[in-house]
Amino acid sequence: MKRGKKQWGTRERSGMSFLIVITFFAVFGLIILTEVFMIDERTHSGMLAMRAGGGGGASLGGRMGDSMPDYDNVKDDYDLLDASILSDNKLGFVQLRDNKLKIQEAAGADGQRLAGMLLNGGGGGGAGAFGVNVPLIPWGQVLPDKVEETLPHFPFGTRPTDGAWQVVNGTRFKFFVYSAYFDRREGARLVRVVGATKTRGPERVWCRFWYGPSPGNGTDAGSSSARAKYSSATVMARVKIIRENWNLKYSACFILCPVRTPPLAVPHFVSVVSRLRAPPGNLLSLRNTDQDADFVVSPPRNSSVRRGSPAGRPPPSGDNIPDRIAVCVKPLHFNYDQALYLMEYLEFYALLGVSHFTFYNHTLGPHASCVLENYQQGLVPGNLTAHDLEPLTPAEAANNATPRVLRTPYQRPTVSILPWNLRMRSQKEIRTEGLFAALNDCLYRTMYRYKYLALVDLDEFIVPRYSDTLNDLIGSLNQRFRNRNTGAYSFQNAFYYLQFADDSLASSGIEGGNDQLAKVRANLVTQRKTRRRYKLHPQKQRSKYICKPEAVVEAGNHFVWEFAPGKGSLNVPPKEAILQHYRVCEFGGNDCIKAPSIVDRTTTKYVNRLVQRVDAVYRHLRQRCDLPALPPLVKTKESAQEKPMEMTKERAKENTNDKTKEKPQEKPKDNPKLLEQKRKLGVTTNKSLIKGVATATTTTKASTKGAATKQQPTIPVTTPTRTMTRTSTAPKLSIPSPNVRKKRKLIVFEINDLGVPVARVEYQ
């Protein structure tokens, strides 16, 4: 019986295993067939397009057709304080139901039947929900006039904006738009909207172009005469996700809408919608057009721009673009309020030839906000009388050449501050307050207005080594390399860690200056921190760049992601210029300063001019912005050690004289010959003891020409001087205090007079 039971169990297990395998393949095959049929049905019935269009026929049903979005999911996803944004009128849910009824009622006529199909997203080549064959609307195709007439009209209650986040109504996930630009490069006619949406599988949207009176002629958009002048055109849009999103849920994006001719002209305003029947929730002014106020020399007084009749002057291109440099800074957050550092940043780049700064205000402190507003309004002084000396090249230094005096023709920079209230959680939903939307918005905002654009952070300075300004540097690079296809200039990154010791020259003031100027210099980070990491980062790792805006399609943080056809990047040699990055250790702690380092004082060639400019702005805004007082001038450790040593020696002499007066019977001084005999015999004196203690407690410090050993002020030299009679085989040294920090061995590189780095060992 046991043997029969065992054989029966084995046979059963074999049969069950075979049945499980057959069942698995059957279920898998059924899933594959179901997916194939579902995809085929979606393609022929236009269900995917209906989802984006906002409705569908009754026979389609399901989530892809007439189903409503999950209200709870929408509320959790938006996480907004204002609950009114979820109302039916805002999101267009009521219009969705009304739209369905209207389409069903109008299904008798062929024209209305076609309009209904298009309104609900279109269909494939097969029979649609209404039994008619309608071709799928391709990207960039304009809706027919019959359909356009049934759509909502111009939103007169909405004010056109440029540079403010607005919501796209009717989407299941967060979808915002910020600005719109007309891109005409390489013969293309494209409206490029900067926005933010879901990274994977973004929802389908449409661009509604608005034509009407020019915004510069003073016509009231809400007047009855203006209402009749507005017309519209609707185009299927394409959403292009901007790279570098860390695979987070949301990302910056471009909404691309072609302006095909004929019959369309360049619009004045653009709205991005996900449901055609719903009223637009956003209205963006279109920039970089012929009607742009920055390019029109003398706009007409009484003129209305009609559809198909462009007016104005096209923006400049090529050599006609002003030879100026602009700087873009990513959104300021965490209530940034370092006013003095902000002045240093603005004035340093102004000395480098920068004409304009663009900032994005996410959260800004009161002092920094006041400083930027005064720069924006032109209320800061614009005088500069100081000068510096040009650094010599190694060849010039070898020939004992005379340095040239540097006098910058200073021009006060202009500042733009744009709001940045993006309702997405930074680093959890989108990367760093959506910085890539800001960078690309600034790219197209400065296009045709400035020849060069630098995209750098507040702690980064592109410093040329032998040129005085960035314009001179770029001109020199263009002459030597002669590459007309250069669209960007990339600079390698060098870390100037803030944990490095301050430069001793920073507290020495400036030539012919007062204590106020000395305090200003001592608080400038570009003058205090002159020691950097010896090894530079390779290109495209921590590097930053200066680009030609019209040569770039998509800007990145450390390099350009997409150039215009035929353009590329030029890697600038480190001997010409580097990116000086002032920050703390990137991985926390202080281990970063153990790496080989080098003293690089390239920024000191701007010291006199920079200190004068920062001091003038600081004194002008001191009371207006309620700025805090400058920290007192802190002496360097070297000078702080020298004075206590002198005081200690004087006190030692005074104590010795007092002891000598009290005890005249002791010998005030030993015979030199007797001392020499005592040294040979191994006799130790108190002076040698003091000398040993001083040597044991010595610390080394980095200086400009070499390591200089200094004595600590805690040397016990107040004991009376007397001769020791006890002999020993070796000098007896006192044990150093346990508070003395253990020395750390460092390899330090310094540049000699010929510009060659020299290595040496240093202890700290």
Side-chain angles (χ1 to χ4, degrees):
M1 290 179 64
K2 291 183 180 180
R3 186 181 303 173
K5 186 176 181 180
K6 183 177 180 181
Q7 292 176 355
W8 178 84
T10 303
R11 223 180 276 113
E12 184 183 32
R13 284 195 297 270
S14 301
M16 287 297 296
S17 300
F18 180 75
L19 182 61
I20 290 173
V21 172
I22 294 299
T23 305
F24 171 77
F25 279 105
V27 172
F28 183 75
L30 183 61
I31 293 174
I32 296 297
L33 292 175
T34 304
E35 289 294 327
V36 170
F37 284 114
M38 287 292 292
I39 293 174
D40 184 69
E41 185 178 356
R42 291 172 188 173
T43 303
H44 291 285
S45 63
M47 291 179 65
L48 288 176
M50 280 187 190
R51 168 80 182 352
S59 61
L60 296 177
R63 232 178 124 170
M64 299 298 295
D66 191 34
S67 64
M68 300 289 291
D70 189 349
Y71 278 43
D72 295 334
N73 292 341
V74 174
K75 292 179 180 179
D76 294 339
D77 201 32
Y78 273 89
D79 193 18
L80 302 177
L81 298 177
D82 186 9
S84 63
I85 197 172
L86 299 176
S87 63
D88 290 346
N89 293 332
K90 278 278 185 178
L91 292 178
F93 295 144
V94 172
Q95 285 79 1
L96 175 67
R97 300 192 189 97
D98 296 340
N99 183 29
K100 173 186 173 184
L101 295 177
K102 290 179 181 178
I103 292 175
Q104 288 181 347
E105 291 173 359
D110 293 339
Q112 296 297 330
R113 196 175 295 173
L114 173 62
M117 284 296 298
L118 293 174
L119 284 175
N120 286 278
F130 295 93
V132 294
N133 294 327
V134 181
L136 179 66
I137 296 181
W139 167 63
Q141 184 65 40
V142 184
L143 289 183
D145 293 337
K146 292 183 179 180
V147 179
E148 193 68 35
E149 293 174 357
T150 63
L151 301 183
H153 297 290
F154 183 81
F156 291 99
T158 305
R159 184 182 181 88
T161 61
D162 170 45
W165 286 107
Q166 301 183 59
V167 67
V168 177
N169 290 337
T171 57
R172 288 187 57 83
F173 299 94
K174 294 181 182 180
F175 204 136
F176 299 100
V177 291
Y178 187 76
S179 55
Y181 301 93
F182 181 61
D183 192 351
R184 67 182 75 201
R185 292 173 294 179
E186 301 296 330
R189 294 167 56 85
L190 188 70
V191 171
R192 189 181 295 267
V193 180
V194 177
T197 186
K198 196 168 180 289
T199 303
R200 297 183 179 180
E203 300 177 68
R204 183 173 299 180
V205 292
W206 302 72
C207 283
R208 298 207 62 191
F209 298 154
W210 305 103
Y211 303 88
S214 175
N217 60 7
T219 304
D220 185 10
S223 62
S224 58
S225 60
R227 289 175 182 268
K229 297 180 181 179
Y230 278 93
S231 59
S232 64
T234 304
V235 177
M236 172 66 75
R238 174 192 170 196
V239 179
K240 179 184 178 185
I241 299 299
I242 295 177
R243 303 168 179 90
E244 279 189 89
N245 47 54
W246 285 359
N247 289 326
L248 295 176
K249 184 177 182 180
Y250 295 101
S251 173
C253 68
F254 287 127
I255 298 100
L256 307 177
C257 306
V259 182
R260 301 186 184 275
T261 54
L264 295 182
V266 180
H268 296 136
F269 311 106
V270 179
S271 295
V272 179
V273 298
S274 64
R275 302 178 186 272
L276 291 175
R277 281 294 188 182
N282 55 82
L283 186 62
L284 303 175
S285 298
L286 190 61
R287 293 176 60 91
N288 296 348
T289 63
D290 294 348
Q291 294 82 23
D292 200 309
D294 296 339
F295 308 133
V296 175
V297 179
S298 56
R301 296 181 180 178
N302 298 322
S303 64
S304 61
V305 181
R306 298 179 181 178
R307 179 175 177 178
S309 58
R313 185 170 67 99
S317 60
D319 296 335
N320 297 326
I321 300 176
D323 190 9
R324 299 181 298 177
I325 300 178
V327 165
C328 291
V329 182
K330 68 181 183 181
L332 301 172
H333 54 281
F334 296 144
N335 293 313
Y336 183 86
D337 203 26
Q338 300 184 25
L340 184 63
Y341 184 81
L342 194 58
M343 298 178 199
E344 179 184 3
Y345 181 85
L346 293 169
E347 295 300 334
F348 192 95
Y349 270 111
L351 294 175
L352 291 175
V354 173
S355 302
H356 183 77
F357 294 87
T358 303
F359 294 94
Y360 296 88
N361 181 11
H362 182 265
T363 49
L364 198 60
H367 299 112
S369 178
C370 180
V371 170
L372 289 180
E373 288 177 358
N374 280 271
Y375 271 97
Q376 185 180 22
Q377 300 171 7
L379 300 179
V380 296
N383 57 326
L384 176 62
T385 59
H387 65 274
D388 292 283
L389 298 179
E390 182 183 24
L392 300 177
T393 62
E396 293 173 344
N399 296 330
N400 296 325
T402 303
R404 182 172 58 90
V405 176
L406 298 176
R407 296 183 183 274
T408 303
Y410 179 82
Q411 183 178 4
R412 183 173 51 203
T414 57
V415 172
S416 297
I417 309 172
L418 299 174
W420 196 260
N421 54 343
L422 179 60
R423 290 173 287 185
M424 291 181 179
R425 289 171 290 183
S426 179
Q427 309 296 35
K428 294 183 179 180
E429 290 185 329
I430 196 168
R431 181 177 174 185
T432 319
E433 285 79 28
L435 71 97
F436 295 102
L439 296 181
N440 284 276
D441 172 78
C442 190
L443 171 72
Y444 288 91
R445 190 173 294 273
T446 57
M447 190 176 293
Y448 310 120
R449 297 163 178 82
Y450 300 91
K451 193 169 186 178
Y452 300 103
L453 174 66
L455 294 95
V456 290
D457 297 341
L458 281 178
D459 56 355
E460 297 171 340
F461 298 83
I462 299 176
V463 183
R465 185 167 296 275
Y466 301 113
S467 302
D468 189 41
T469 63
L470 295 176
N471 303 76
D472 298 339
L473 172 66
I474 295 175
S476 175
L477 295 173
N478 292 337
Q479 287 182 358
R480 278 182 290 173
F481 294 98
R482 297 185 179 276
N483 188 357
R484 296 184 178 180
N485 296 327
T486 301
Y489 305 85
S490 181
F491 301 88
Q492 289 182 256
N493 175 75
F495 277 142
Y496 286 71
Y497 291 120
L498 299 181
Q499 285 93 333
F500 281 135
D502 292 350
D503 195 328
S504 58
L505 294 179
S507 59
S508 61
I510 62 175
E511 185 178 356
N514 50 24
D515 292 340
Q516 172 68 14
L517 297 179
K519 287 196 295 184
V520 171
R521 180 180 181 180
N523 288 278
L524 299 181
V525 67
T526 56
Q527 306 301 317
R528 290 191 299 112
K529 303 300 178 181
T530 57
R531 181 174 293 277
R532 67 171 174 85
R533 184 178 175 180
Y534 179 72
K535 185 178 180 180
L536 303 177
H537 287 80
Q539 291 287 354
K540 296 188 176 182
Q541 293 184 17
R542 301 279 187 174
S543 60
K544 288 300 175 70
Y545 58 92
I546 299 176
C547 68
K548 298 178 181 178
E550 71 277 5
V552 178
V553 176
E554 181 181 333
N557 192 16
H558 301 290
F559 54 89
V560 176
W561 276 107
E562 184 179 351
F563 283 99
K567 300 297 182 180
S569 180
L570 173 66
N571 295 333
V572 179
K575 65 179 181 180
E576 299 294 337
I578 60 174
L579 176 72
Q580 300 191 179
H581 195 169
Y582 299 87
R583 59 162 298 163
V584 297
C585 297
E586 58 266 40
F587 302 110
N590 299 322
D591 292 338
C592 61
I593 63 176
K594 297 180 181 179
S597 60
I598 183 174
V599 175
D600 189 347
R601 292 196 174 99
T602 306
T603 55
T604 56
K605 67 179 180 180
Y606 304 99
V607 58
N608 295 330
R609 293 170 288 175
L610 180 62
V611 169
Q612 186 188 60
R613 283 297 309 154
V614 174
D615 176 65
V617 176
Y618 174 80
R619 287 188 289 105
H620 182 76
L621 302 179
R622 175 72 171 87
Q623 296 182 349
R624 180 173 300 185
C625 296
D626 193 21
L627 300 179
L630 293 176
L633 188 62
V634 179
K635 300 295 181 181
T636 58
K637 294 182 180 180
E638 296 179 0
S639 59
Q641 287 177 355
E642 289 176 358
K643 290 187 177 180
M645 279 300 301
E646 294 176 358
M647 296 175 63
T648 305
K649 291 180 181 179
E650 292 177 358
R651 291 176 182 175
K653 289 181 180 180
E654 292 177 359
N655 293 336
T656 304
N657 294 334
D658 294 340
K659 294 288 183 175
T660 304
K661 291 179 181 179
E662 293 176 0
K663 298 181 180 180
Q665 69 274 12
E666 294 184 1
K667 292 175 61 178
K669 189 175 182 180
D670 290 335
N671 191 357
K673 295 182 179 180
L674 183 59
L675 289 175
E676 185 66 26
Q677 292 178 2
K678 289 181 179 180
R679 289 193 189 97
K680 291 181 180 180
L681 295 174
V683 178
T684 305
T685 62
N686 198 32
K687 291 182 179 180
S688 62
L689 270 177
I690 296 174
K691 218 177 270 187
V693 174
T695 307
T697 59
T698 300
T699 59
T700 58
K701 292 194 169 293
S703 62
T704 59
K705 296 183 179 179
T709 55
K710 301 293 179 181
Q711 297 178 351
Q712 295 289 338
T714 58
I715 301 174
V717 294
T718 57
T719 56
T721 305
R722 62 184 181 183
T723 305
M724 301 292 293
T725 58
R726 186 180 60 182
T727 61
S728 61
T729 58
K732 184 179 179 181
L733 302 179
S734 62
I735 301 175
S737 173
N739 295 328
V740 177
R741 188 179 64 179
K742 187 178 180 181
K743 301 177 203 176
R744 184 168 55 243
K745 182 178 179 181
L746 299 176
I747 301 176
V748 180
F749 293 84
E750 293 187 352
I751 299 178
N752 58 12
D753 296 336
L754 299 179
V756 179
V758 179
R760 63 180 176 81
V761 179
E762 180 178 296
Y763 294 89
Q764 287 189 356

